[in-house]
């Protein structure tokens, strides 16, 4: 998910994703606090799918907020819950005015 203008198509979204990921998430050298909109989104997401439970079957790398930097959050979900959580996460992203892109499927989610 990221805070920004929605790209016109999947190809453009992939380019934006790659750029944002490289800038905000790839490097451990630069720490950028998540933007308020991303923080609010993550807080809403973990209210539904808590990330502090021992043995969480939802999140592959809790806490979720640790995967946020600047205007972006990268959600690492367990395979068994990915479909369910992805649908909710995409819907919640729309409510929060965020762009939802699936990097594995290389597509924007509605």
């Amino acid at each position: 998910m990221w805070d920004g203008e929605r790209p016109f198509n999947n190809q453009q979204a992939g380019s934006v994703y790659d750029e944002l990921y490289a800038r905000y998430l790839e490097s451990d050298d630069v720490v950028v606090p998540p933007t308020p909109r991303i923080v609010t989104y993550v807080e809403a997401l973990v209210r539904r799918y808590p990330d502090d439970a021992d043995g969480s079957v939802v999140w592959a790398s809790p806490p979720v907020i640790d995967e946020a930097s600047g205007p972006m959050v990268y959600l690492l979900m367990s395979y068994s819950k990915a479909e369910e959580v992805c649908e909710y996460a995409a819907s919640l992203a729309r409510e929060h005015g965020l762009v939802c892109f699936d990097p594995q499927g290389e597509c924007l989610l509605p």
Side-chain angles (χ1 to χ4, degrees):
M1 312 304 162
W2 69 78
D3 186 5
E5 299 225 4
R6 185 173 173 84
F8 294 110
N9 58 38
N10 292 332
Q11 184 177 2
Q12 184 184 31
S15 295
V16 171
Y17 167 82
D18 289 343
E19 178 185 328
L20 290 172
Y21 189 90
R23 182 183 302 164
Y24 292 103
L25 297 172
E26 219 167 37
S27 173
D28 290 333
D29 298 336
V30 179
V31 177
V32 178
T35 62
R37 188 177 281 186
I38 292 294
V39 170
T40 301
Y41 170 78
V42 170
E43 288 171 347
L45 186 60
V46 298
R47 272 195 296 278
R48 171 102 177 236
Y49 296 103
D51 64 357
D52 58 357
D54 289 335
S56 172
V57 295
V58 175
W59 304 111
S61 181
V64 175
I65 197 67
D66 285 355
E67 301 300 328
S69 180
M72 184 176 202
V73 62
Y74 185 82
L75 301 178
L76 296 163
M77 298 172 223
S78 67
Y79 181 78
S80 65
K81 290 287 192 172
E83 188 175 329
E84 173 189 336
V85 176
C86 189
E87 285 182 28
Y88 180 75
S91 173
L92 189 63
R94 275 192 308 278
E95 290 176 28
H96 286 261
L98 301 175
V99 176
C100 185
F101 179 75
D102 176 359
Q104 292 178 346
E106 298 181 348
C107 62
L108 288 162
L109 298 178

